Amino acid sequence: VVRLASKPVVFEPRVDENIPKRLRGDELRVKQILNNLLSNAFKYTQKGKVVLRVTCERRKGHACLVFAVSDTGIGIKKEDLGKLFLEYNQLSTQASRKIEGTGLGLSICKNLVKLMNGTIEVESEYGKGSCFTVRIRQEIVDSTPIGLEMAQNLKTFRLMEDHKVKELVRTPMPYGKVLVVDDVVTNLDVAKGLMTPYGLTVHCTSNGKQAIELVREGKHIYDAIFMDHMMPGMDGIETVQVIRSEIGTEYAKTVPVIALTANAIAGNEAMFLENGFQAYLPKPIDVTLLDSLLNQWVRDRRSRQTPERTEETEGPKEPEAKDAGTFAELQVEGLNAQKGRSRFGGKEGYLQVLRSYEIHTPELLDKLRGVKEETLPGYAIAVHGLKGSSYGICADEVGKMAEDLEFAAKRGDIAAVRAKNGDLIHAAEALLSNLRFLWKETRESGVGNEDESGAKHKKSAPDPSLLRELRECCARYDLAGMEKVLSEMERYTYESQGGLVEWLREQADGLEYGQILQRLEEYS
C-alpha cells in the first residue's frame, strides 16, 4: 500500500475459495517470499496493475500452495532470465537505475523455496511485465475450504476489518524481568512501551559494556535480554560473546538473549544462533512475534530465582484510568492514536513512546536543515531515523514523507531532497506541537492535583522519599519506575527546589543515569 500510494497502479488479490482453512508451514518465510515478490512488482510497475493469485493443489496427505505474482511493469529481457536468481545481480541497470534495491532478494527467495521443497518460476516479456510463480508443499491441518465469503473479504481488503475486535490478548507476567540493550533512546522506549501491558520489570541500557556489567554483577536476574545487533563501539554479537565466555557464571552462560535486528534476511537467524543468541526479533517490532517470544522465554521458562505468584497476581489487568476515553477521542492531525493504543496495548505504553518522540525528534530535525550535496549521506541517516520513529508512533504521514526523502538522498537526488525537505520539517514540527498539547492534556487530566481555579497544588519541596525511590530506580535502570516517580513529582509546584524536578526530568529523558545518581547521592 505504501509503494502504491503515489502511482496509478491497482493491486488485485485473487484468492481461491477452496484453499484449506489451516495449513502447517513456515509462516515467516512464506511472508518474506511474498513481500519480496510483491515489493519488486510494485517497484518495477509505473502504471497498470499487480495481481496476486493464491490457489492450492490438493494431493494425498498434503497440499501444494501456489502464489502467482504478475505485473504490467518493465519486464525482463530473454537473455537476462538465466541470471535472475544470481546473488548481487540487478538486471537491466539502465531501466532500473532510479529504483531502490540491490537485487539480492530473488536469490534469497529461491533458496528459501528450495529449502521448503518448493519451486519458483518466472515468465516475462520485456516492456510488458512479468509473472513469478511459487509452489510450496504444506501439511493440511484443517481441510475445510475457506469459502466464498472469506475469499471475497480478502479480495476487498476486509480481513483486518472483520477481525478488528480480536485484539492481541497479552498474558500478564508481573514476575518477569527483562533487559533491553539499544543505543537509540527512542528504540528503548518503543520496546519498553510494547512490554508495558505485560506488567514486566523492564530495565534498559544504551551500550554493550553496561549490559555486560549488569550480567556480571548478577544483582538482577533477567528472564530474557533483548540485544540490539548494530551498536557503535561493541555490537550485539561481541557483547553476547563476552557474556557467554568471559563472565563464567551459569546464569551468564544460559540467560536467553534475543537479537533485535533491522536485517531480517536469510542466514541471519543461523548467524545469531551460532553466536550465543536464542532467537531474533526483526525491527520494527511486530507485536505478535514479541508476544510469542515473551511467552516462550519469560512465561514458559520462569527462572528459579523468580518467585512464583498466585493466579490472582496473573489475573486481568486493572482497567485504564478514567481519562482513557478522552485520550481515544483526541483528534491529532498526522497521528493515528487509536492504532497506537492498540499496538502498545493501551494508553500508558503509548504515551511513553510519544514523549520520547517529542523529546528526541527536534535533534533529528536539526540534522535535516541546510542539506547540501556533500552532506547527503548524513542526511540519509538522519531522515532514516525520523522515518522509523514516525512509523513507530503511528505518525504514518510524516513517516512516508521521510521515507520518500530517504530514497531520494540515497540515489543522490539533491534537487528532490531540497524540494520536499521543508515540507517534511514543517509537518514534523506541526506534529511535535500537537504531541506537546496531547501530552499536557493527558498528563494533567483526572489526576486530582489541581484546585478549583485549575492551578496545581503547592508543596514546600520535593518529597525526599520520592527522591530516594527515584535514585533506586535509576540505579537498577528501571525506566518505568523512574517515569512513575517523576510524574508524581510533576503533579505539584514547589516553593523551593522546583528546578531540581525539571533538571531530573531532563536528565532522565536523556538517559543520563550517572548525573542523576551523583546529584541524588545524599538520598541513598
Side-chain angles (χ1 to χ4, degrees), residues 24 50 69 78 99 192 235 242 261 295 359 369 375 405 506:
R24 177 176 287 116
V50 173
V69 177
K78 188 176 293 186
I99 300 174
K192 184 181 66 174
D235 68 20
V242 171
T261 175
N295 279 292
I359 292 165
R369 305 179 199 276
T375 63
L405 282 169
E506 182 180 343

Side-chain angles (χ1 to χ4, degrees), residues 4-70:
L4 289 172
S6 59
K7 295 195 224 178
V9 178
V10 176
F11 179 40
E12 293 182 8
R14 301 176 185 176
V15 184
D16 186 352
E17 65 187 78
N18 294 308
I19 291 177
K21 274 190 174 181
R22 291 177 64 82
L23 301 172
R24 177 176 287 116
D26 193 330
E27 179 188 17
L28 175 62
R29 303 309 175 196
V30 172
K31 284 181 178 180
Q32 287 179 328
I33 292 166
L34 278 174
N35 276 334
N36 184 267
L37 296 180
L38 288 168
S39 180
N40 283 344
F42 298 159
K43 285 191 292 185
Y44 291 97
T45 303
Q46 299 306 314
K47 62 180 179 179
K49 64 182 178 181
V50 173
V51 179
L52 168 64
R53 293 179 178 86
V54 186
T55 58
C56 186
E57 300 169 2
R58 296 191 186 219
R59 296 174 185 172
K60 198 168 184 178
H62 71 277
C64 183
L65 197 58
V66 184
F67 303 98
V69 177
S70 59

Side-chain angles (χ1 to χ4, degrees), residues 434-479:
N434 290 333
L435 285 177
R436 293 183 187 106
F437 176 78
L438 172 65
W439 177 258
K440 179 176 182 294
E441 288 295 301
T442 307
R443 190 175 63 187
E444 292 184 358
S445 62
V447 295
N449 65 312
E450 297 175 350
D451 59 27
E452 294 180 358
S453 67
K456 291 183 179 182
H457 288 309
K458 286 185 178 181
K459 280 192 172 185
S460 57
D463 189 332
S465 65
L466 288 177
L467 292 174
R468 276 193 296 273
E469 185 178 351
L470 179 63
R471 191 182 190 285
E472 291 170 1
C473 290
C474 181
R476 62 177 182 263
Y477 304 100
D478 180 3
L479 298 191

Side-chain angles (χ1 to χ4, degrees), residues 192-212:
K192 184 181 66 174
L194 291 174
M195 295 180 193
T196 294
Y198 298 91
L200 294 160
T201 297
V202 182
H203 294 175
C204 297
T205 185
S206 57
N207 62 75
K209 289 184 178 180
Q210 262 186 346
I212 291 169

Side-chain angles (χ1 to χ4, degrees), residues 212-483:
I212 291 169
E213 288 309 307
L214 285 170
V215 175
R216 192 191 306 276
E217 290 171 2
K219 182 179 178 181
H220 304 287
I221 302 300
Y222 298 107
D223 295 282
I225 298 174
F226 290 80
M227 180 80 66
D228 184 31
H229 176 205
M230 303 299 291
M231 295 187 292
M234 179 180 286
D235 68 20
I237 290 178
E238 293 171 318
T239 302
V240 172
Q241 288 175 343
V242 171
I243 290 173
R244 299 298 192 211
S245 62
E246 296 185 16
I247 295 179
T249 63
E250 186 65 21
Y251 164 57
K253 293 176 182 177
T254 59
V255 58
V257 184
I258 295 125
L260 291 170
T261 175
N263 300 316
I265 61 175
N268 264 10
E269 182 174 14
M271 177 192 72
F272 288 125
L273 295 178
E274 290 169 1
N275 283 279
F277 292 85
Q278 272 64 46
Y280 84 118
L281 181 60
K283 295 179 183 177
I285 295 173
D286 179 274
V287 293
T288 304
L289 183 53
L290 173 64
D291 182 75
S292 175
L293 289 170
L294 288 175
N295 279 292
Q296 179 181 0
W297 298 105
V298 179
R299 187 195 68 181
D300 297 339
R301 289 173 55 90
R302 300 184 190 180
S303 62
R304 283 173 293 182
Q305 294 87 348
T306 303
E308 296 284 5
R309 301 296 177 92
T310 62
E311 291 183 5
E312 183 179 354
T313 303
E314 298 185 10
K317 292 190 302 181
E318 290 295 321
E320 287 192 342
K322 294 181 180 179
D323 60 332
T326 304
F327 177 85
E329 294 164 5
L330 284 174
Q331 299 297 315
V332 179
E333 187 176 356
L335 183 73
N336 190 332
Q338 184 177 359
K339 177 182 174 183
R341 282 191 68 193
S342 175
R343 180 169 189 244
F344 288 92
K347 180 185 71 171
E348 182 182 350
Y350 189 35
L351 280 179
Q352 290 178 7
V353 180
L354 290 179
R355 181 164 179 82
S356 175
Y357 183 92
E358 172 201 332
I359 292 165
H360 300 290
T361 298
E363 183 179 351
L364 281 176
L365 294 183
D366 288 341
K367 295 177 181 178
L368 303 184
R369 305 179 199 276
V371 60
K372 301 176 182 177
E373 192 163 5
E374 58 269 25
T375 63
L376 269 183
Y379 176 92
I381 294 172
V383 81
H384 172 82
L386 180 62
K387 175 193 73 174
S389 59
S390 299
Y391 279 139
I393 67 166
C394 302
D396 295 340
E397 182 180 345
V398 172
K400 179 62 170 64
M401 294 173 71
E403 182 176 25
D404 290 343
L405 282 169
E406 180 189 2
F407 288 154
K410 286 182 176 179
R411 65 175 180 261
D413 191 346
I414 185 66
V417 171
R418 285 174 172 165
K420 297 293 184 180
N421 191 43
D423 293 339
L424 171 63
I425 293 174
H426 177 76
E429 287 179 335
L431 176 60
L432 290 175
S433 177
N434 290 333
L435 285 177
R436 293 183 187 106
F437 176 78
L438 172 65
W439 177 258
K440 179 176 182 294
E441 288 295 301
T442 307
R443 190 175 63 187
E444 292 184 358
S445 62
V447 295
N449 65 312
E450 297 175 350
D451 59 27
E452 294 180 358
S453 67
K456 291 183 179 182
H457 288 309
K458 286 185 178 181
K459 280 192 172 185
S460 57
D463 189 332
S465 65
L466 288 177
L467 292 174
R468 276 193 296 273
E469 185 178 351
L470 179 63
R471 191 182 190 285
E472 291 170 1
C473 290
C474 181
R476 62 177 182 263
Y477 304 100
D478 180 3
L479 298 191
M482 291 171 63
E483 180 62 36

